[in-house]
Amino acid sequence: MSIKQAAGILGCTAMTVYRMFERGQLQKLKDPRNRHNVLIKASEVRALASAEPVVV
């Protein structure tokens, strides 16, 4: 799954998805066909999307 697809499912911007990488909420996967592309596991995105929102 691409960053744009993940952002659409999570209802946030692509920059927020990048911040999730930095916080360790999502794992980056390298695309074997294109070394500049970053992929995300769909199961991780679905798990985050279904999680209860945390109010800080």
Side-chain angles (χ1 to χ4, degrees), residues 9-50:
I9 290 174
L10 294 172
C12 62
T13 62
M15 192 63 210
T16 305
V17 176
Y18 281 111
R19 289 190 188 115
M20 287 178 177
F21 290 140
E22 293 172 0
R23 290 187 219 132
Q25 292 174 311
L26 290 172
Q27 297 292 319
K28 286 184 189 179
L29 300 173
K30 301 257 184 203
D31 188 351
R33 296 167 289 160
N34 181 353
R35 64 187 183 101
H36 298 291
N37 202 10
V38 174
L39 297 176
I40 309 165
K41 282 187 182 177
S43 59
E44 288 185 8
V45 176
R46 286 189 204 104
L48 273 177
S50 66

Side-chain angles (χ1 to χ4, degrees), residues 1-7 37-40:
M1 176 178 292
S2 71
I3 290 175
K4 286 184 182 180
Q5 290 170 325
N37 202 10
V38 174
L39 297 176
I40 309 165

